[in-house]
Amino acid sequence: MANIKVYTTEEALEVLKVTKRTLYRYIKAGQIKAVRLGREYRITEDALKDFLEHGTEENYLDRLQKTE
């Protein structure tokens, strides 16, 4: 199996320098691809790189509000 770097939410918080609430909003809105394992999320290094390169989509908060 290939070496895949996977981050916990706590590690992703340190990389992105955002609050836990913001990170979970990004995940819920589909801006950061994450996999839920039990009660925790895991985020691949590629997903973080993609988010850092492209940022958020325009009006992503509108989608988030529709799901609540």
Side-chain angles (χ1 to χ4, degrees), residues 30-60:
Q31 298 302 296
I32 296 178
K33 294 177 185 171
V35 175
R36 189 169 185 158
L37 298 173
R39 300 176 92 185
E40 293 287 324
Y41 284 101
R42 296 294 185 267
I43 305 164
T44 64
E45 184 175 33
D46 289 341
L48 281 180
K49 283 182 181 179
D50 185 56
F51 178 75
L52 289 171
E53 288 174 4
H54 299 103
T56 58
E57 294 175 8
E58 201 170 310
N59 299 324
Y60 84 95

Side-chain angles (χ1 to χ4, degrees), residues 7-27 32 40-41 43 48 51-52:
Y7 292 90
T8 64
T9 53
E10 294 300 319
E11 293 169 330
L13 290 173
E14 290 179 29
V15 171
L16 297 175
K17 307 289 191 233
V18 296
T19 65
K20 186 178 264 190
R21 184 177 191 172
T22 298
L23 178 61
Y24 281 100
R25 282 183 177 172
Y26 288 153
I27 291 170
I32 296 178
E40 293 287 324
Y41 284 101
I43 305 164
L48 281 180
F51 178 75
L52 289 171

Side-chain angles (χ1 to χ4, degrees), residues 28-29 61-68:
K28 188 172 182 181
L61 286 176
D62 293 339
R63 268 190 297 165
L64 181 61
Q65 291 172 351
K66 290 177 184 176
T67 62
E68 291 180 346

